[in-house]
Amino acid sequence: MIIAYSTAPNETIANEIAHYLINAKLAACVSLIPHVKSIYHWNNEIIEDNEILMMIKSEKSKQQNLIDTLVEIHPYDTPEVIIIPIENGFKGYLNWLHTSLN
């Protein structure tokens, strides 16, 4: 199992992405975390943006398809997509994740 992190410019877009990923069985659950302030370099400037963090739970076997899909449907030219493996957790929840993706 994996967790993918990505940000979106607002709650409407984050919600649309979440529904798309769940309908496509690329995510079992997407948690939307509002009020994230991102500070970063872009085009030789320091940018400050308010964003929504998406915590996307999925399986390693769907990882590349998830990345490709996020890049394709995301409004940003260079969307953040970071994958972290889930090394351990409550077996009941991890089993639910797996079942939800099939």
Side-chain angles (χ1 to χ4, degrees):
M1 306 310 290
I2 60 167
I3 295 177
Y5 290 101
S6 186
T7 53
N10 59 55
E11 192 168 349
T12 300
I13 291 173
N15 197 48
E16 289 171 0
I17 291 171
H19 279 268
Y20 187 95
L21 295 175
I22 290 169
N23 284 329
K25 297 274 188 185
L26 292 174
C29 175
V30 180
S31 300
L32 303 182
I33 304 165
H35 309 297
V36 173
K37 184 170 196 161
S38 296
I39 303 169
Y40 55 93
H41 275 109
W42 188 255
N43 294 328
N44 296 318
E45 293 182 52
I46 296 177
I47 307 294
E48 292 187 25
D49 277 332
N50 294 313
E51 297 182 296
I52 305 294
L53 178 63
M54 297 177 288
M55 189 170 69
I56 305 159
K57 279 76 81 175
S58 190
E59 297 186 298
K60 187 166 179 57
S61 65
K62 297 180 183 280
Q63 177 174 300
Q64 192 58 54
N65 195 4
L66 175 61
I67 292 168
D68 294 343
T69 300
L70 275 169
V71 169
E72 180 182 324
I73 68 172
H74 205 287
Y76 293 166
D77 292 336
T78 308
E80 172 185 7
V81 183
I82 298 170
I83 307 290
I84 298 172
I86 298 173
E87 294 184 13
N88 202 352
F90 172 55
K91 299 295 183 215
Y93 182 77
L94 298 177
N95 288 338
W96 171 80
L97 287 177
H98 176 72
T99 301
S100 296
L101 292 165
N102 293 312

